Amino acid sequence: MQKVIIVRYCEIHLKGKNRGYFEKVFLENLEKALSGIRHEIHRPSGRYLVDGFDEARADEIAARLAKVFGTHSVSVAQQIPADMEEIYRSVVRIAPESGTFKVQTNRADKHFPLDSMQINAQIGGRLLAERPQLRVDVREPQKTLYIDIRENGTALVFSDYIKGAGGMPVGTSGKGMLLLSGGIDSPVAGYMIAKRGMVLEAVHFHSYPYTNMQAREKVENLAEILSRYTGGLHLHVVSVTRIQEEIHKHCPDEMMITLLRRFMMRIAERIGKRVGAQCIVTGESLGQVASQTIEGMTSSNAVLESFPVLRPLVGFDKTEIIERARQIGTYETSVQPYEDCCTVFLPKHPLIRPDLAKVRLAEEKLDVAALLEDALAQEETVVFK
Ligand code: ATP
Ligand code: MG
C-alpha cells in the first residue's frame, strides 16, 4: 500500500484548443505549491496523481494542493494492486465501524474481471458481514467508499473529497496591478482576480511619516497571505507624502481623496507597464464610501492612458466581503488599527460626486509630471515567494 494524492481540476476542460496550455500552467502551479517537499506528480487521464512523498505529510500536501486555483478537489488515497483481496483490505482500513455507507466503483480498466456493480456488491457485502453495525444507504450515505480501478493494474481507494479553491490556474489570464491598501477589501479583490487566473503584482501607497511603520508591516503581512494564493507576489511600495502635501497646499480640501486616487492610478499604470501588466485591480465597491461613487470612479479612470480598471467587488456588500476575507485568512490582519494614507489630511466633507472638469482644473495647480517622477524614484519592491 502506498499513499497517493488525487488532484481533480475544474473548468480547464472547457478550454478546447488551449487545454494543453492550461494544464501546463496548472501543473507548474501545483509544483510551486509543493516546493521544498519531496514528491512526484503524474498525469494519468483527467487528473493528477502525486506520490513519492513522506506519508506523514500527506494531509499537509493535500491542503496545499487544495489551495491552488484550478483545483476542484483533492483526495488522499491508498494505491494498491487491482486485486479484490487487496481492495477489500484497503477498504476496511478507511471504513467506519457504524452508520451508513455505500461503495462506489469507477472502472477505467474494462478488462478487470468484475464490473463496477459486482465490485460494489462484493466489497459492500463483505464489509456488512464483518461489521454488523453498518448499513447500506445508496442515496445519502454518511460515508462513501470510492474504488477506482485504473488501467495500469493498480486501484485507488479513498473516502474523502477535500474541496479545492476552484477557479482557473494563475498565469492563464494576463497580469494586473492590484492597489493593495491595509483594508479589508483590496486583499479580497486580489484573491478574486487571481482566482480567475490573473497574475498579480501589488502596489501600496503610504504617507510616512504621517503613517507609521506598523501600517507598512500590516500591508506586508497581507501581501504575504495573498502570495500563497497567487504563487508569489511583488509588492511595490510608494510614498505619496509629497503628493498629499502638495494637494493640501494648492487644491481644495474636499478634493484630497479624488486627486490622490488619480495619482495612485497613474503610478500603478506606470509601474504596471514596466512589469508587463495590462490592467489595474482595486477593492472598490459601488457606494461603499463617499469616494466610491460612479463619478469618483470616472474621475480616477480618466487619468489612465490604456489600462482598464477591474473592480471585482463592485457589486458586493461589506458583509459579503468580510465573509470572504475571513475565508481567505486576511480579515484578522486587515482589521488591525493602523492609519492608511487616505486618512491623512482627510477632509471633513470629501467630494461625493466629483465633476471631472473641476477636478482637472484643480489639478492644474500641481506639477503632476514632476510629482510622479519623484514618487516613482523612491519606489521600493518587496518580493514574497
Ligand atoms: P480597502 O479595505 O481595500 O482599503 P476601503 O473600503 O478602505 O478599501 P478606500 O480606502 O476608499 O476603501 O480604497 C478603495 C480602494 O483604493 C482600495 O480597495 C484599494 O484598492 C485602493 N487603495 C486605497 N488606499 C490605498 C493605499 N494606501 N495603497 C494602495 N491602494 C489603496
Ligand atoms: Mg482603505
Side-chain angles (χ1 to χ4, degrees), residues 348-381:
K348 277 205 196 71
H349 303 288
L351 268 192
I352 294 178
R353 306 189 188 290
D355 176 89
L356 191 52
K358 285 183 190 156
V359 170
R360 284 180 170 145
L361 201 65
E363 213 173 54
E364 280 177 12
K365 299 274 184 319
L366 305 171
D367 188 344
V368 172
L371 285 170
L372 282 179
E373 290 312 322
D374 182 57
L376 284 162
Q378 294 166 44
E379 175 205 335
E380 296 166 62
T381 306

Side-chain angles (χ1 to χ4, degrees), residues 181-186 261 292 340 342-343:
S181 70
I184 297 169
D185 306 335
S186 43
R261 271 294 137 69
Q292 297 181 17
D340 186 32
C342 296
T343 53

